[in-house]
Coordinates of all heavy atoms in Angstrom, one line a residue:
K1002 N -51.3 17.2 79.6 CA -50.1 16.6 78.7 C -49.6 15.3 79.2 O -49.4 14.3 78.5 CB -49.1 17.6 78.4 CG -48.3 17.3 77.2 CD -47.4 18.5 76.9 CE -46.4 18.2 75.8 NZ -45.5 19.3 75.5
E1003 N -49.4 15.3 80.5 CA -48.7 14.1 81.3 C -49.8 13.0 81.1 O -49.4 11.8 80.9 CB -48.5 14.5 82.6 CG -47.8 13.5 83.4 CD -47.4 13.8 84.9 OE1 -46.8 14.9 85.0 OE2 -47.6 13.1 85.8
R1004 N -51.0 13.2 81.4 CA -52.0 12.2 81.3 C -52.1 11.6 80.0 O -52.2 10.5 79.7 CB -53.4 12.7 81.7 CG -54.4 11.5 81.5 CD -55.9 11.9 81.9 NE -56.0 11.6 83.3 CZ -57.1 11.9 84.0 NH1 -58.1 12.4 83.3 NH2 -57.1 11.7 85.3
M1005 N -52.1 12.5 78.9 CA -52.1 12.1 77.5 C -51.0 11.2 77.2 O -51.2 10.0 76.5 CB -52.2 13.3 76.6 CG -53.4 14.1 76.5 SD -53.4 15.5 75.4 CE -51.9 16.4 75.8
A1006 N -49.9 11.5 77.6 CA -48.7 10.6 77.4 C -48.7 9.3 78.1 O -48.5 8.2 77.6 CB -47.4 11.3 78.0
A1007 N -49.5 9.3 79.3 CA -49.6 8.0 80.1 C -50.7 7.2 79.5 O -50.6 5.9 79.5 CB -49.8 8.4 81.5
T1008 N -51.8 7.7 79.1 CA -53.0 7.0 78.7 C -53.2 7.0 77.2 O -53.9 5.9 76.8 CB -54.2 7.6 79.3 OG1 -54.4 8.9 78.8 CG2 -54.1 7.7 80.8
G1009 N -52.6 7.8 76.4 CA -52.8 7.9 75.0 C -54.3 8.2 74.6 O -54.7 8.0 73.6
E1010 N -55.0 8.8 75.5 CA -56.4 9.2 75.3 C -56.5 10.2 74.2 O -57.5 10.1 73.4 CB -57.0 9.9 76.6 CG -57.3 9.0 77.7 CD -57.8 9.6 78.9 OE1 -57.8 11.0 78.9 OE2 -58.3 8.9 79.9
M1011 N -55.7 11.2 74.1 CA -55.8 12.2 73.0 C -54.4 12.7 72.8 O -53.4 12.5 73.5 CB -56.7 13.3 73.4 CG -56.4 14.0 74.5 SD -57.6 15.3 75.0 CE -57.0 16.7 74.1
T1012 N -54.2 13.5 71.7 CA -52.9 14.1 71.4 C -53.1 15.5 71.2 O -54.2 16.0 71.0 CB -52.2 13.4 70.2 OG1 -53.0 13.8 69.0 CG2 -52.2 11.9 70.3
V1013 N -52.0 16.2 71.2 CA -52.0 17.6 70.9 C -51.2 17.7 69.6 O -50.5 18.7 69.3 CB -51.2 18.5 72.0 CG1 -51.6 20.0 71.8 CG2 -51.7 18.0 73.4
A1014 N -51.3 16.8 68.7 CA -50.5 16.7 67.5 C -50.7 17.8 66.6 O -49.8 18.3 65.9 CB -50.9 15.4 66.8
A1015 N -51.9 18.3 66.6 CA -52.2 19.5 65.6 C -51.4 20.7 66.0 O -51.2 21.5 65.2 CB -53.7 19.8 65.6
R1016 N -51.0 20.8 67.3 CA -50.3 22.0 67.7 C -48.8 21.5 68.0 O -48.0 22.4 68.6 CB -50.8 22.3 69.1 CG -52.3 22.9 69.0 CD -52.6 23.3 70.5 NE -54.0 23.8 70.5 CZ -54.4 24.9 70.2 NH1 -53.6 25.8 69.7 NH2 -55.7 25.2 70.1
N1017 N -48.4 20.4 67.5 CA -47.0 19.9 67.6 C -46.6 20.0 69.1 O -45.5 20.4 69.5 CB -46.1 20.7 66.7 CG -46.3 20.5 65.4 OD1 -46.7 19.4 64.9 ND2 -46.2 21.5 64.5
Q1018 N -47.5 19.6 70.0 CA -47.3 19.6 71.4 C -47.0 20.9 72.0 O -46.4 21.0 73.0 CB -46.2 18.5 71.7 CG -46.5 17.2 71.3 CD -47.4 16.4 72.2 OE1 -47.5 16.7 73.3 NE2 -48.2 15.5 71.6
K1019 N -47.3 22.0 71.3 CA -47.0 23.4 71.8 C -48.2 24.2 71.8 O -49.1 24.1 71.0 CB -45.9 24.0 70.9 CG -44.6 23.4 71.0 CD -43.6 23.9 70.1 CE -42.2 23.1 70.1 NZ -41.3 23.4 69.0
I1020 N -48.3 25.2 72.8 CA -49.2 26.2 72.8 C -48.5 27.6 72.5 O -47.6 27.9 73.4 CB -49.9 26.2 74.3 CG1 -50.6 24.8 74.5 CG2 -50.8 27.3 74.3 CD1 -51.8 24.6 73.6
A1021 N -48.9 28.2 71.5 CA -48.2 29.3 71.1 C -48.6 30.6 71.8 O -47.8 31.6 71.9 CB -48.3 29.6 69.5
S1022 N -49.9 30.7 72.3 CA -50.2 31.9 73.0 C -51.2 31.6 74.0 O -51.7 30.4 74.2 CB -51.0 32.8 71.9 OG -52.1 32.1 71.4
E1023 N -51.6 32.6 74.8 CA -52.5 32.4 75.9 C -53.9 32.0 75.4 O -54.6 31.3 75.9 CB -52.7 33.6 76.8 CG -53.5 33.4 77.9 CD -53.5 34.6 79.0 OE1 -52.8 35.6 78.9 OE2 -54.4 34.5 80.0
E1024 N -54.2 32.6 74.1 CA -55.5 32.2 73.5 C -55.5 30.8 73.1 O -56.6 30.1 73.3 CB -55.8 33.1 72.3 CG -56.0 34.6 72.5 CD -54.8 35.4 72.9 OE1 -53.6 35.0 72.4 OE2 -54.9 36.4 73.7
D1025 N -54.4 30.3 72.6 CA -54.4 28.7 72.3 C -54.5 28.0 73.6 O -55.3 27.0 73.6 CB -53.0 28.4 71.8 CG -52.8 28.8 70.3 OD1 -53.7 29.3 69.7 OD2 -51.6 28.7 69.8
L1026 N -53.9 28.5 74.7 CA -54.0 27.7 75.9 C -55.5 27.7 76.4 O -56.0 26.7 76.8 CB -53.1 28.4 77.0 CG -52.9 27.7 78.2 CD1 -52.5 26.3 78.2 CD2 -52.0 28.5 79.2
D1027 N -56.2 29.0 76.3 CA -57.5 28.9 76.8 C -58.4 28.1 75.9 O -59.3 27.4 76.4 CB -58.0 30.4 76.7 CG -57.4 31.3 77.7 OD1 -56.9 30.9 78.8 OD2 -57.6 32.6 77.5
S1028 N -58.2 28.1 74.7 CA -59.0 27.3 73.7 C -58.8 25.8 74.0 O -59.7 25.0 74.1 CB -58.5 27.6 72.3 OG -59.3 26.8 71.4
F1029 N -57.5 25.4 74.2 CA -57.3 24.0 74.5 C -57.9 23.5 75.9 O -58.5 22.5 75.9 CB -55.8 23.8 74.6 CG -55.4 22.4 75.0 CD1 -55.4 21.3 74.0 CD2 -55.0 22.0 76.2 CE1 -55.1 20.0 74.3 CE2 -54.7 20.7 76.6 CZ -54.7 19.8 75.7
L1030 N -57.7 24.3 76.8 CA -58.3 24.1 78.2 C -59.9 24.1 78.1 O -60.5 23.1 78.8 CB -57.7 25.0 79.2 CG -56.3 24.9 79.6 CD1 -55.8 25.9 80.6 CD2 -55.9 23.6 80.0
E1031 N -60.5 25.0 77.4 CA -61.9 25.0 77.3 C -62.3 23.7 76.6 O -63.3 23.1 77.0 CB -62.4 26.1 76.5 CG -62.4 27.4 77.2 CD -62.7 28.6 76.4 OE1 -63.2 28.5 75.2 OE2 -62.7 29.8 76.9
A1032 N -61.6 23.2 75.6 CA -61.9 21.9 74.9 C -61.8 20.8 75.9 O -62.6 19.8 75.8 CB -61.0 21.8 73.6
C1033 N -60.8 20.8 76.7 CA -60.6 19.7 77.6 C -61.7 19.7 78.7 O -62.2 18.6 79.1 CB -59.2 19.8 78.4 SG -57.8 19.6 77.4
V1034 N -62.3 20.8 79.0 CA -63.4 20.9 80.0 C -64.7 20.3 79.2 O -65.3 19.4 79.8 CB -63.8 22.3 80.4 CG1 -65.2 22.3 81.1 CG2 -62.7 22.9 81.3
R1035 N -64.9 20.7 77.9 CA -66.0 20.1 77.1 C -65.8 18.6 76.9 O -66.9 18.0 76.9 CB -66.1 20.8 75.8 CG -66.5 22.2 76.0 CD -67.7 22.4 76.3 NE -68.1 23.9 76.4 CZ -69.1 24.3 77.1 NH1 -69.9 23.6 77.8 NH2 -69.2 25.7 77.2
L1036 N -64.5 18.2 76.8 CA -64.4 16.8 76.5 C -64.5 15.9 77.8 O -64.4 14.7 77.8 CB -63.0 16.5 76.0 CG -62.9 16.8 74.4 CD1 -61.5 16.9 74.0 CD2 -63.8 16.1 73.6

């Protein structure tokens, strides 16, 4: 999130900058690995 703010590479806008559950967190981090 800090890197996103500094570089503007991507946003978490769809989640309103929040992760609601551990499953959301896992999904987001897996996507970050894939990206």
